[in-house]
Structure formats: C-alpha cells, structure tokens
Amino acid sequence: MSHFDPEKHSCLGSAIHSWDPRAKIVSLLVLIFAIALAGSILPALAGLCVSISLVLISRIPLAHVAGFMKWPVIFLLPLALFLPFTTEGDCLYSFQFLSVSRQGLFFSLLYLTRGVAAALLALLIVGTAPFTVTIKALQEMGLPASLTQIFLFAYRYVFLLNEEFSIMSRSLQCKGFVRRSDLKTARTLAMAFAMLLIRSYERSLAVYNAMLSRGYRGDIPIPGRNGLAASDLFKSLLVLGAAFSIMAK
Amino acid sequence: MKAIEAINLVFSYPDGTRALEGASFSIDSGESVALLGPNGSGKSTLLLHLNGILRGQGTVRIMGREITEDNLSWVRSQVGMVFQDPDDQLFMPTLEEDVSFGPRNMGLSEAAVQEAVSWALRSTGLVDLEAKSPHHLSFGQRKRAAVATVLSMRPPVMVLDEPTSNLDPRSKREVATLIRSLQEKGTTIITATHDANLVPYMADRVLLLDRKIVADGDVRQILCRRNLMKGLGLEMPLLADLFERLREEKIYSGATPFAADIAAKEIIDLLK
Ligand SMILES: Nc1ncnc2c1ncn2[C@@H]1O[C@H](COP(=O)(O)OP(=O)(O)OP(=O)(O)O)[C@@H](O)[C@H]1O
Ligand SMILES: [Mg+2]
C-alpha cells in the first residue's frame, strides 16, 4: 500500500515529541490562529519562520514533510496564482489583457505564507504523537467520548476502505476489466462500489463483535498521563509568546 | 468440571443457509480439542456460539452456567475468541494498543496490563512489532497478532478459529506449542483447523463437524480412520496415512506414530 501515513514519525525523540500533547495542541492551535489572522506580510513571514524552525526541531524527515505538504500546496496554489491577476490595484506589470496588481501580489504572497505555515503546524500536531495519544488529549480537554471513538474508528476505516478498494480493483483487473466510458463499465463500477459498502458494513459488524469479545462496554481504554512538567510549560510559553508577538504586529 | 457444554445447537443464517443442525458436545476443563471439518461445515458458526456472539436454538453452558442475555459480559471474560479473519480482530491504531485493549477493559492496573501485553507479544513472537499499525503487518503476522490480543486477557477458555492457516511452518509449530503450554497451565482450548498433521501436537481429542458432530474421540482414534476422514473430504496426517496403509497390508501392527522421529524408528525396526 502506498498511502501516506501521518503517524510514521510519531515516535521520534525530539523536544516536540516529548511535549505534553495537551499543551502542544493548545499552543500550536493558538499559533495557527495568530498566523491565520496576520494582516501583513512581515508577521506572516515571521510565523512561517517559526513553523519551519519547529518542524526542524521535530526532526521529522523532510521527505515526509514534503509528502504531507503536497496536498495543501496543490490546494493553495491555484488561488495564489489567480490573485495577482484578478485583484484590482496599482498595475505593476501588464501583458496584453493580463495585468499584475501590487495588491494582488501582496495578497497572493500573504495567503501562501499563511497557508503553508498553518499546514506545517498542523503536521506537527498530528505527526508528532501516535494518533490515539492526540485523540486522548483532545478527550481530556473536553471532547466528548463518543466523538473520540468516531475519530478513532473513522481513522481505522479510511485505511480499511482504501485497502478493500485496492484489493477489489486489483481483482477487477485480474479478471480482465478495462475501464472505458460505456454503460458496462459504469455498471461494473457501480456494483463494485455497492459491494464495497456491504463489505465494509459486514466488516464493521465483525469488528464490533471482536470488541465485545474483548470486554468492550462503551469506552476505549487509553492509558492516562501525568500532569504537565515545567518543560511542557516552558515550551508552551515560547510558542505562545511567538503567537502573541505575531498578533501584536 | 465441564468448561464448555453445547446441546443441540441449530443455526440458520438470515439468507436461509442452515449452518448447524443439532450439534452437541462437551469439553472438560483443561482439555485441548481440535475441531475438524470441511469448508462450510459450520466450524466458524459453531465457535461463534461459544461466547454468545451467535445464538440460535439450543443451549451453551460455560463453566456450568448457561449463556443468557444477562451474563454475556461474564461469558466474554471467560471465553477468549480468536476469529478466523485477523482483520476482524484488529482495530486499534497500533499493535500494542490492540493487545492491551482487552486487559484494560478488564480494569487491570497499568503494570499488570504492561506485563500481560509483553507476555502475549513474546508468546506470539511479535515483540519488535508492537509500535506498528496492525494494518501494515503481513497476513501471517496479523494472524499471530489476533492470537496475542486474546492471549493478553488470559481467559480460562480459548476458542481459536484456524489460528495456523497461512502461517509459515515454523510459526505453525510455534502456535501448536503455545496451545500445548497454555493447556499445561490449565487453559481449556478448542481449535478449528485444517492442519491434520498439526493436530496431534496441539490436541488430545478431535471433534469432526459436518453441521453436526459426526465423530468425537481421541486424536489417534479419529485421525486414523481412513473412511471417516475420506468421507468428509479431509486428509489424514501423512504419517498416519502411511502407517495405516502398512497396517492394512499387515506389515505393521504397533501404535500409529505422528512424529517423524518415532516413525523413523518404527520403519528401521520393520526393516531389520
Ligand atoms: N454471514 C453469512 N451469511 C450467510 N451464510 C453464511 C454466513 N457465514 C457463513 N455462511 C454459510 O454457513 C455455512 C457454514 O459456514 P462457516 O463459516 O461456519 O464454515 P466453516 O466450517 O468455518 O468453513 P471454513 O473451513 O471455510 O472456514 C456455509 O455454508 C456458509 O456459506
Ligand atoms: Mg471458518
């Protein structure tokens, strides 16, 4: 399977990894918020620098970071390319009917910086602790238990569906199925999709039975954690300090 | 004491398939029993009755207590169930969390949980993989992981549905040895399997199932009966097949060996 696994480097030993997940989530969310609100380019760039430094501190391999950033960048880029041409303002450069405005360029740059910085921080939140630890931290901060379980199993099911789907398409190929744009293809795909739903329904029933067999009575046991240490607070203070100075600009 | 008692189990799936037609048997505490039967003979269906996941007509008693709606959670603390398909069994993000799921539900202390988990992982040869996601393990590893998730709960009764299918030869042997060592510690075990060669290594008694129990007896008594086994489309263990042929030819008259070293000795004696 070639899918991206955000947890792949969740067990490294960096300062970010050892940060208490509750303190980490709150501080990084505040920082994301501060960067998202930055109204001018300098604080946004400062935010980007802070994000990049944090990623470097976390020691997550850059290839992994690039694999993750691919998606937000694909999502951000079209808009960032459009903005300079479509925003009205002082003309910087014009070519036939296209003209680049200074305000447009400014917005585009601001938008890209903020987006990339926020995505990097998001990677730090999900990528520096095992998924259950993050979820458990959210639960401790007040997320309802039913929601935590939905997250937990949704996460498991994304992989499961992905796997069932690739198994199914592999077996379709082995049986000589070629995708065309005709009715037969549509029929086959529709049936495969319906089978996928039925299979995942029956699978979830079986998994539920397995959970009952192992004493499941409505909540997922995740081990507890100790209180915050001084180092956790110190790291949070640093990040929150950065967040507030970005906001103050 | 009887650990498991099943009386006249009848079960049909919603689509009308009749999977069990009056299966009855009982298993004493501390016994290890193999459940043999061709594909579709109802092995998995039968096993799912033993901790109340499926309930049709008939009665199941665990440690003398009949399974009812009210004692299901007690029953499940007594009967550990390893499913045929490991993907049904593994659902937590990491192997370690999956294996600790049961013990944590039982309310054990964190130290006891850790001890149970590391013992279960060691027993199944998965120690190095505890941090991995179960969905990234190989099929054979997932199969062993499924066993570990139940092992960690140390239930007095274990129900294993084809724990050795798709395993490499060494892992098969290890699972058989594990079953034996659990039995020595007093666990009652019932194992559905197609590995006739492995049965003598893990069980003392065999149940043959074809929607009902068609034969029940000592391993030697059942596995050496060619007509019975052949009638169900099952294979005899290779050595049993060979020595029964020699017996039919009136060349051999001793006890049927199941292990290669004993068989070799018998053959050398015959050649002398
Ligand atoms: N969910 C289901 N719905 C309908 N029929 C089913 C279902 N599961 C099993 N069956 C049918 O019930 C019968 C017994 O199935 P079961 O899985 O118990 O057999 P088995 O002895 O475990 O076979 P195998 O050796 O292949 O694992 C089969 O005929 C099968 O087709
Ligand atoms: Mg089966």
Side-chain angles (χ1 to χ4, degrees):
Chain A
M1 301 294 132
S2 62
H3 45 65
F4 180 82
D5 181 3
E7 279 183 280
K8 195 163 166 203
H9 301 285
S10 61
C11 294
L12 303 178
S14 79
I16 310 278
H17 288 78
S18 64
W19 197 358
D20 180 276
R22 289 162 296 181
K24 178 179 72 185
I25 293 171
V26 171
S27 316
L28 291 183
L29 280 179
V30 171
L31 184 57
I32 289 181
F33 197 66
I35 294 174
L37 285 183
S40 63
I41 207 86
L42 265 183
L45 275 176
L48 183 61
C49 289
V50 173
S51 311
I52 291 175
S53 331
L54 288 174
V55 168
L56 289 178
I57 291 172
S58 79
R59 295 212 299 259
I60 295 180
L62 292 181
H64 184 76
V65 177
F68 176 85
M69 291 305 292
K70 196 164 65 191
W71 301 109
V73 168
I74 287 176
F75 181 74
L76 289 170
L77 218 52
L79 207 62
L81 286 180
F82 260 117
L83 276 173
F85 300 104
T86 52
T87 313
E88 290 196 11
D90 317 336
C91 178
L92 278 182
Y93 177 80
S94 75
F95 173 76
Q96 298 193 351
F97 60 92
L98 287 175
S99 66
V100 177
S101 73
R102 189 215 309 261
Q103 282 84 347
L105 206 60
F106 167 79
F107 277 128
S108 165
L109 214 61
L110 181 63
Y111 176 79
L112 210 59
T113 324
R114 292 197 306 208
V116 169
L120 284 174
L121 293 173
L123 171 65
L124 282 183
I125 293 180
V126 297
T128 55
F131 189 70
T132 32
V133 171
T134 307
I135 285 291
K136 176 75 178 175
L138 288 174
Q139 190 175 346
E140 282 166 349
M141 292 188 300
L143 191 73
S146 49
L147 266 185
T148 18
Q149 288 186 41
I150 290 175
F151 278 139
L152 208 58
F153 292 116
Y155 182 74
R156 163 92 170 80
Y157 273 95
V158 169
F159 287 102
L160 192 88
L161 275 178
N162 185 349
E163 222 153 294
E164 295 264 349
F165 181 73
S166 52
I167 290 169
M168 204 178 267
S169 53
R170 217 180 297 157
S171 96
L172 276 174
Q173 279 164 15
C174 292
K175 292 175 191 156
F177 173 73
V178 187
R179 205 178 297 191
R180 296 200 190 83
S181 54
D182 58 2
L183 199 63
K184 191 163 159 276
T185 304
R187 216 175 91 88
T188 310
L189 284 181
M191 283 197 299
F193 183 68
M195 271 319 287
L196 190 67
L197 289 186
I198 293 172
R199 266 174 39 176
S200 39
Y201 170 72
E202 292 196 339
R203 173 76 74 192
S204 53
L205 210 61
V207 168
Y208 180 63
N209 281 335
M211 292 171 64
L212 289 180
S213 299
R214 285 198 267 150
Y216 174 74
R217 276 188 300 272
D219 53 14
I220 298 280
I222 304 174
R225 225 186 335 277
N226 313 332
L228 297 182
S231 62
D232 294 322
L233 292 177
F234 179 69
K235 291 170 195 170
S236 291
L237 270 180
L238 282 182
V239 168
L240 289 176
F244 287 124
S245 40
I246 288 170
M247 269 193 253
K249 285 254 172 96
Chain B
M1 193 182 54
K2 297 222 180 316
I4 304 175
E5 210 175 347
I7 303 162
N8 218 359
L9 301 182
V10 176
F11 185 84
S12 302
Y13 280 100
D15 68 355
T17 310
R18 198 127 229 248
L20 294 177
E21 290 181 336
S24 301
F25 63 93
S26 66
I27 298 179
D28 283 335
S29 192
E31 260 192 305
S32 175
V33 176
L35 180 66
L36 262 61
N39 290 138
S41 57
K43 297 184 296 299
S44 299
T45 310
L46 177 68
L47 296 184
L48 289 174
H49 278 73
L50 302 183
N51 76 347
I53 282 177
L54 292 183
R55 293 171 69 198
Q57 294 164 35
T59 311
V60 179
R61 290 201 192 98
I62 301 297
M63 309 290 178
R65 278 166 74 176
E66 184 173 341
I67 299 182
T68 62
E69 202 62 55
D70 304 323
N71 62 10
L72 280 180
S73 71
W74 173 80
V75 166
R76 284 164 186 163
S77 71
Q78 298 298 300
V79 182
M81 170 94 50
V82 180
F83 290 71
Q84 179 167 4
D85 184 344
D87 294 335
D88 289 348
Q89 191 110 32
L90 304 166
F91 46 81
M92 295 293 275
T94 68
L95 181 59
E96 195 270 333
E97 283 162 305
D98 226 321
V99 176
S100 60
F101 183 86
R104 290 218 166 96
N105 275 327
M106 292 163 65
L108 299 186
S109 73
E110 193 51 34
V113 169
Q114 286 314 325
E115 211 226 280
V117 169
S118 71
W119 173 72
L121 290 173
R122 250 183 295 126
S123 305
T124 47
L126 294 170
V127 177
D128 303 333
L129 301 173
E130 60 177 354
K132 276 195 83 151
S133 305
H135 47 261
H136 289 161
L137 298 176
S138 81
F139 190 83
Q141 291 168 338
R142 292 211 293 280
K143 211 64 209 183
R144 284 185 278 147
V147 175
T149 60
V150 173
L151 210 53
S152 62
M153 297 172 73
R154 303 187 204 229
V157 177
M158 283 199 52
V159 174
L160 303 155
D161 197 350
E162 298 194 21
T164 55
S165 59
N166 284 71
L167 294 194
D168 60 31
R170 190 205 300 165
S171 308
K172 278 189 194 208
R173 275 306 178 88
E174 281 170 1
V175 169
T177 313
L178 176 65
I179 289 174
R180 272 288 186 224
S181 74
L182 289 172
Q183 186 199 1
E184 274 158 24
K185 290 186 199 124
T187 310
T188 310
I189 301 161
I190 176 166
T191 314
T193 181
H194 292 292
D195 278 314
N197 284 303
L198 216 54
V199 169
Y201 291 97
M202 59 189 194
D204 313 308
R205 203 174 123 206
V206 175
L207 298 174
L208 284 191
L209 183 73
D210 194 9
R211 280 180 285 180
K212 49 182 175 277
I213 303 293
V214 293
D216 175 352
D218 193 64
V219 167
R220 210 167 280 282
Q221 204 183 330
I222 304 283
L223 292 183
C224 298
R225 279 164 69 186
R226 186 185 308 282
N227 291 339
L228 183 65
M229 297 290 282
K230 234 169 115 183
L232 286 175
L234 299 174
E235 61 169 10
M236 297 168 71
L238 194 59
L239 292 172
D241 196 0
L242 174 68
F243 276 82
E244 288 306 310
R245 275 174 211 276
L246 295 177
R247 193 191 304 281
E248 282 151 26
E249 299 289 335
K250 310 233 182 306
I251 297 172
Y252 183 73
S253 60
T256 310
F258 287 116
D261 49 347
I262 300 174
K265 221 182 274 154
E266 295 290 350
I267 289 176
I268 292 168
D269 284 347
L270 282 179
L271 291 177
K272 270 180 193 161

